[in-house]
mmCIF file of all heavy atoms in Angstrom:
data_model
loop_
_atom_site.group_PDB
_atom_site.id
_atom_site.type_symbol
_atom_site.label_atom_id
_atom_site.label_comp_id
_atom_site.label_asym_id
_atom_site.label_seq_id
_atom_site.Cartn_x
_atom_site.Cartn_y
_atom_site.Cartn_z
ATOM 1 N N GLY A 9 95.989 101.167 90.104
ATOM 2 C CA GLY A 9 97.190 101.955 90.372
ATOM 3 C C GLY A 9 97.927 102.246 89.138
ATOM 4 O O GLY A 9 97.665 101.766 88.016
ATOM 5 N N VAL A 10 98.835 103.297 89.208
ATOM 6 C CA VAL A 10 99.610 103.766 88.010
ATOM 7 C C VAL A 10 101.016 104.193 88.520
ATOM 8 O O VAL A 10 101.118 104.700 89.693
ATOM 9 C CB VAL A 10 98.873 104.863 87.280
ATOM 10 C CG1 VAL A 10 98.724 106.143 88.105
ATOM 11 C CG2 VAL A 10 99.592 105.224 86.022
ATOM 12 N N LEU A 11 102.016 103.957 87.702
ATOM 13 C CA LEU A 11 103.358 104.417 88.022
ATOM 14 C C LEU A 11 103.634 105.801 87.453
ATOM 15 O O LEU A 11 103.252 105.970 86.172
ATOM 16 C CB LEU A 11 104.404 103.365 87.512
ATOM 17 C CG LEU A 11 104.472 102.058 88.287
ATOM 18 C CD1 LEU A 11 105.435 101.110 87.501
ATOM 19 C CD2 LEU A 11 104.874 102.284 89.741
ATOM 20 N N ARG A 12 104.099 106.677 88.165
ATOM 21 C CA ARG A 12 104.498 108.054 87.584
ATOM 22 C C ARG A 12 106.015 108.047 87.398
ATOM 23 O O ARG A 12 106.774 107.969 88.429
ATOM 24 C CB ARG A 12 103.999 109.102 88.571
ATOM 25 C CG ARG A 12 102.559 109.143 88.634
ATOM 26 C CD ARG A 12 101.992 110.304 89.546
ATOM 27 N NE ARG A 12 102.488 109.996 90.991
ATOM 28 C CZ ARG A 12 101.882 109.204 91.778
ATOM 29 N NH1 ARG A 12 100.762 108.647 91.386
ATOM 30 N NH2 ARG A 12 102.217 109.132 92.995
ATOM 31 N N VAL A 13 106.463 108.088 86.150
ATOM 32 C CA VAL A 13 107.942 107.912 85.866
ATOM 33 C C VAL A 13 108.460 109.317 85.487
ATOM 34 O O VAL A 13 107.951 110.023 84.448
ATOM 35 C CB VAL A 13 107.996 107.031 84.711
ATOM 36 C CG1 VAL A 13 109.432 106.856 84.261
ATOM 37 C CG2 VAL A 13 107.487 105.645 85.076
ATOM 38 N N ARG A 14 109.505 109.748 86.162
ATOM 39 C CA ARG A 14 110.121 111.020 85.906
ATOM 40 C C ARG A 14 111.628 110.846 85.605
ATOM 41 O O ARG A 14 112.398 110.878 86.639
ATOM 42 C CB ARG A 14 109.929 111.954 87.099
ATOM 43 C CG ARG A 14 108.523 112.408 87.281
ATOM 44 C CD ARG A 14 108.319 113.375 88.470
ATOM 45 N NE ARG A 14 106.984 113.877 88.583
ATOM 46 C CZ ARG A 14 106.103 113.237 89.239
ATOM 47 N NH1 ARG A 14 106.399 112.127 89.893
ATOM 48 N NH2 ARG A 14 104.824 113.756 89.468
ATOM 49 N N PRO A 15 112.027 110.551 84.392
ATOM 50 C CA PRO A 15 113.463 110.330 84.064
ATOM 51 C C PRO A 15 114.246 111.567 84.481
ATOM 52 O O PRO A 15 113.834 112.726 84.191
ATOM 53 C CB PRO A 15 113.440 110.019 82.626
ATOM 54 C CG PRO A 15 112.227 110.523 82.110
ATOM 55 C CD PRO A 15 111.162 110.438 83.217
ATOM 56 N N GLY A 16 115.434 111.369 85.001
ATOM 57 C CA GLY A 16 116.353 112.455 85.379
ATOM 58 C C GLY A 16 116.101 113.051 86.752
ATOM 59 O O GLY A 16 116.920 113.668 87.261
ATOM 60 N N ALA A 17 114.987 112.749 87.349
ATOM 61 C CA ALA A 17 114.671 113.195 88.719
ATOM 62 C C ALA A 17 115.426 112.235 89.751
ATOM 63 O O ALA A 17 115.680 111.081 89.555
ATOM 64 C CB ALA A 17 113.140 113.177 88.951
ATOM 65 N N ALA A 18 115.631 112.842 90.937
ATOM 66 C CA ALA A 18 116.244 112.151 91.959
ATOM 67 C C ALA A 18 115.246 111.159 92.587
ATOM 68 O O ALA A 18 114.023 111.476 92.693
ATOM 69 C CB ALA A 18 116.836 113.105 92.932
ATOM 70 N N ARG A 19 115.652 110.138 93.162
ATOM 71 C CA ARG A 19 114.841 109.253 93.897
ATOM 72 C C ARG A 19 114.428 109.989 95.303
ATOM 73 O O ARG A 19 115.218 110.720 95.835
ATOM 74 C CB ARG A 19 115.439 107.939 94.285
ATOM 75 C CG ARG A 19 115.636 107.022 93.079
ATOM 76 C CD ARG A 19 116.430 105.777 93.467
ATOM 77 N NE ARG A 19 117.910 106.047 93.614
ATOM 78 C CZ ARG A 19 118.781 105.251 93.961
ATOM 79 N NH1 ARG A 19 118.465 103.994 94.414
ATOM 80 N NH2 ARG A 19 120.081 105.595 94.092
ATOM 81 N N PRO A 20 113.139 109.847 95.738
ATOM 82 C CA PRO A 20 112.065 108.884 95.185
ATOM 83 C C PRO A 20 111.212 109.489 94.181
ATOM 84 O O PRO A 20 110.311 108.895 93.704
ATOM 85 C CB PRO A 20 111.332 108.659 96.522
ATOM 86 C CG PRO A 20 111.352 109.881 97.294
ATOM 87 C CD PRO A 20 112.815 110.370 97.055
ATOM 88 N N GLN A 21 111.555 110.775 93.734
ATOM 89 C CA GLN A 21 110.627 111.438 92.717
ATOM 90 C C GLN A 21 110.641 110.757 91.432
ATOM 91 O O GLN A 21 109.827 110.797 90.533
ATOM 92 C CB GLN A 21 110.968 112.888 92.669
ATOM 93 C CG GLN A 21 110.496 113.799 93.793
ATOM 94 C CD GLN A 21 111.496 113.629 94.982
ATOM 95 O OE1 GLN A 21 112.563 113.311 94.834
ATOM 96 N NE2 GLN A 21 110.852 113.800 96.183
ATOM 97 N N ALA A 22 111.781 110.011 91.047
ATOM 98 C CA ALA A 22 111.991 109.402 89.791
ATOM 99 C C ALA A 22 110.900 108.416 89.436
ATOM 100 O O ALA A 22 110.632 108.140 88.285
ATOM 101 C CB ALA A 22 113.343 108.852 89.656
ATOM 102 N N LEU A 23 110.416 107.777 90.495
ATOM 103 C CA LEU A 23 109.453 106.635 90.351
ATOM 104 C C LEU A 23 108.453 106.621 91.452
ATOM 105 O O LEU A 23 109.020 106.389 92.718
ATOM 106 C CB LEU A 23 110.073 105.352 90.160
ATOM 107 C CG LEU A 23 109.347 104.022 89.916
ATOM 108 C CD1 LEU A 23 108.529 104.226 88.527
ATOM 109 C CD2 LEU A 23 110.143 102.899 89.879
ATOM 110 N N ALA A 24 107.188 106.751 91.319
ATOM 111 C CA ALA A 24 106.210 106.835 92.378
ATOM 112 C C ALA A 24 105.061 105.998 91.896
ATOM 113 O O ALA A 24 104.588 106.010 90.767
ATOM 114 C CB ALA A 24 105.772 108.212 92.749
ATOM 115 N N GLY A 25 104.407 105.193 92.835
ATOM 116 C CA GLY A 25 103.286 104.386 92.491
ATOM 117 C C GLY A 25 102.063 104.734 93.372
ATOM 118 O O GLY A 25 102.274 105.355 94.390
ATOM 119 N N SER A 26 100.976 104.247 92.958
ATOM 120 C CA SER A 26 99.733 104.598 93.735
ATOM 121 C C SER A 26 98.861 103.320 93.822
ATOM 122 O O SER A 26 97.634 103.383 94.043
ATOM 123 C CB SER A 26 98.953 105.694 93.110
ATOM 124 O OG SER A 26 98.543 105.294 91.712
ATOM 125 N N ARG A 27 99.474 102.146 93.752
ATOM 126 C CA ARG A 27 98.660 100.896 93.806
ATOM 127 C C ARG A 27 98.076 100.654 95.192
ATOM 128 O O ARG A 27 98.714 100.540 96.173
ATOM 129 C CB ARG A 27 99.460 99.686 93.375
ATOM 130 C CG ARG A 27 98.623 98.481 93.109
ATOM 131 C CD ARG A 27 99.262 97.532 92.080
ATOM 132 N NE ARG A 27 100.306 96.785 92.594
ATOM 133 C CZ ARG A 27 100.538 95.474 92.285
ATOM 134 N NH1 ARG A 27 99.605 94.802 91.563
ATOM 135 N NH2 ARG A 27 101.550 94.770 92.804
ATOM 136 N N PRO A 28 96.732 100.577 95.299
ATOM 137 C CA PRO A 28 96.044 100.308 96.621
ATOM 138 C C PRO A 28 96.416 98.991 97.074
ATOM 139 O O PRO A 28 96.672 97.991 96.306
ATOM 140 C CB PRO A 28 94.590 100.563 96.325
ATOM 141 C CG PRO A 28 94.595 101.199 94.988
ATOM 142 C CD PRO A 28 95.724 100.788 94.205
ATOM 143 N N ASP A 29 96.423 98.829 98.424
ATOM 144 C CA ASP A 29 96.623 97.482 99.007
ATOM 145 C C ASP A 29 95.283 96.823 99.182
ATOM 146 O O ASP A 29 94.706 96.649 100.234
ATOM 147 C CB ASP A 29 97.264 97.721 100.464
ATOM 148 C CG ASP A 29 97.702 96.485 101.049
ATOM 149 O OD1 ASP A 29 97.609 95.387 100.359
ATOM 150 O OD2 ASP A 29 98.327 96.371 102.181
ATOM 151 N N TRP A 30 94.757 96.265 98.027
ATOM 152 C CA TRP A 30 93.477 95.724 97.945
ATOM 153 C C TRP A 30 93.464 94.420 98.679
ATOM 154 O O TRP A 30 92.422 94.049 99.281
ATOM 155 C CB TRP A 30 93.032 95.465 96.459
ATOM 156 C CG TRP A 30 92.727 96.718 95.713
ATOM 157 C CD1 TRP A 30 93.310 97.207 94.619
ATOM 158 C CD2 TRP A 30 91.590 97.706 96.070
ATOM 159 N NE1 TRP A 30 92.673 98.322 94.194
ATOM 160 C CE2 TRP A 30 91.724 98.688 95.105
ATOM 161 C CE3 TRP A 30 90.827 97.839 97.172
ATOM 162 C CZ2 TRP A 30 90.906 99.777 95.172
ATOM 163 C CZ3 TRP A 30 90.017 98.906 97.177
ATOM 164 C CH2 TRP A 30 89.985 99.866 96.144
ATOM 165 N N ALA A 31 94.526 93.691 98.784
ATOM 166 C CA ALA A 31 94.468 92.343 99.441
ATOM 167 C C ALA A 31 94.029 92.533 100.916
ATOM 168 O O ALA A 31 93.271 91.841 101.595
ATOM 169 C CB ALA A 31 95.727 91.579 99.365
ATOM 170 N N ALA A 32 94.834 93.606 101.613
ATOM 171 C CA ALA A 32 94.449 93.779 103.004
ATOM 172 C C ALA A 32 93.087 94.343 103.177
ATOM 173 O O ALA A 32 92.394 94.010 104.104
ATOM 174 C CB ALA A 32 95.487 94.769 103.562
ATOM 175 N N THR A 33 92.680 95.275 102.296
ATOM 176 C CA THR A 33 91.413 95.952 102.372
ATOM 177 C C THR A 33 90.229 94.957 102.137
ATOM 178 O O THR A 33 89.299 94.978 102.900
ATOM 179 C CB THR A 33 91.329 97.075 101.402
ATOM 180 O OG1 THR A 33 92.361 97.994 101.726
ATOM 181 C CG2 THR A 33 89.986 97.880 101.601
ATOM 182 N N LEU A 34 90.348 94.185 101.059
ATOM 183 C CA LEU A 34 89.213 93.432 100.679
ATOM 184 C C LEU A 34 89.271 92.035 101.328
ATOM 185 O O LEU A 34 88.178 91.353 101.461
ATOM 186 C CB LEU A 34 89.150 93.235 99.227
ATOM 187 C CG LEU A 34 89.026 94.550 98.375
ATOM 188 C CD1 LEU A 34 89.060 94.221 96.887
ATOM 189 C CD2 LEU A 34 87.773 95.223 98.766
ATOM 190 N N GLY A 35 90.400 91.507 101.732
ATOM 191 C CA GLY A 35 90.476 90.141 102.260
ATOM 192 C C GLY A 35 89.955 89.978 103.669
ATOM 193 O O GLY A 35 89.376 88.999 104.001
ATOM 194 N N ARG A 36 90.234 91.034 104.462
ATOM 195 C CA ARG A 36 89.760 90.913 105.915
ATOM 196 C C ARG A 36 88.305 90.621 105.996
ATOM 197 O O ARG A 36 87.488 91.422 105.412
ATOM 198 C CB ARG A 36 90.093 92.232 106.628
ATOM 199 C CG ARG A 36 89.935 92.133 108.049
ATOM 200 C CD ARG A 36 90.342 93.437 108.803
ATOM 201 N NE ARG A 36 89.947 93.477 110.225
ATOM 202 C CZ ARG A 36 90.557 92.828 111.171
ATOM 203 N NH1 ARG A 36 91.622 92.155 110.964
ATOM 204 N NH2 ARG A 36 90.198 93.012 112.411
ATOM 205 N N GLY A 37 87.904 89.642 106.817
ATOM 206 C CA GLY A 37 86.525 89.437 107.057
ATOM 207 C C GLY A 37 85.814 88.533 106.044
ATOM 208 O O GLY A 37 84.727 88.145 106.242
ATOM 209 N N LYS A 38 86.542 88.214 104.887
ATOM 210 C CA LYS A 38 85.960 87.382 103.839
ATOM 211 C C LYS A 38 86.037 85.873 104.257
ATOM 212 O O LYS A 38 86.971 85.428 104.911
ATOM 213 C CB LYS A 38 86.667 87.552 102.564
ATOM 214 C CG LYS A 38 86.431 88.988 102.053
ATOM 215 C CD LYS A 38 84.907 89.216 101.564
ATOM 216 C CE LYS A 38 84.818 90.543 100.821
ATOM 217 N NZ LYS A 38 85.244 91.690 101.556
ATOM 218 N N PRO A 39 85.049 84.972 103.765
ATOM 219 C CA PRO A 39 85.207 83.571 103.974
ATOM 220 C C PRO A 39 86.544 83.087 103.300
ATOM 221 O O PRO A 39 86.878 83.505 102.143
ATOM 222 C CB PRO A 39 83.995 83.036 103.230
ATOM 223 C CG PRO A 39 83.020 84.229 103.193
ATOM 224 C CD PRO A 39 83.744 85.415 103.084
ATOM 225 N N ALA A 40 87.259 82.265 103.983
ATOM 226 C CA ALA A 40 88.604 81.937 103.518
ATOM 227 C C ALA A 40 88.461 81.169 102.211
ATOM 228 O O ALA A 40 89.387 81.335 101.352
ATOM 229 C CB ALA A 40 89.294 80.985 104.525
ATOM 230 N N ASP A 41 87.376 80.453 101.911
ATOM 231 C CA ASP A 41 87.287 79.756 100.713
ATOM 232 C C ASP A 41 87.087 80.607 99.432
ATOM 233 O O ASP A 41 87.259 80.029 98.313
ATOM 234 C CB ASP A 41 86.196 78.566 100.817
ATOM 235 C CG ASP A 41 86.560 77.533 101.719
ATOM 236 O OD1 ASP A 41 87.729 77.250 101.846
ATOM 237 O OD2 ASP A 41 85.658 76.843 102.335
ATOM 238 N N VAL A 42 86.644 81.758 99.675
ATOM 239 C CA VAL A 42 86.394 82.633 98.446
ATOM 240 C C VAL A 42 87.695 83.539 98.271
ATOM 241 O O VAL A 42 87.684 84.259 97.155
ATOM 242 C CB VAL A 42 85.204 83.599 98.720
ATOM 243 C CG1 VAL A 42 83.938 82.793 99.101
ATOM 244 C CG2 VAL A 42 85.430 84.673 99.777
ATOM 245 N N LEU A 43 88.648 83.466 99.073
ATOM 246 C CA LEU A 43 89.800 84.409 98.914
ATOM 247 C C LEU A 43 90.564 84.143 97.552
ATOM 248 O O LEU A 43 90.903 85.132 96.908
ATOM 249 C CB LEU A 43 90.811 84.247 100.136
ATOM 250 C CG LEU A 43 91.938 85.183 100.167
ATOM 251 C CD1 LEU A 43 91.359 86.680 100.417
ATOM 252 C CD2 LEU A 43 92.899 84.833 101.310
#
Side-chain angles (χ1 to χ4, degrees):
V10 62
L11 291 172
R12 296 180 296 279
V13 176
R14 295 181 175 88
R19 289 174 287 173
Q21 286 76 28
L23 182 62
S26 61
R27 192 151 76 136
D29 190 359
W30 287 121
T33 303
L34 299 179
R36 182 177 175 83
K38 294 294 191 298
D41 288 334
V42 310
L43 189 65

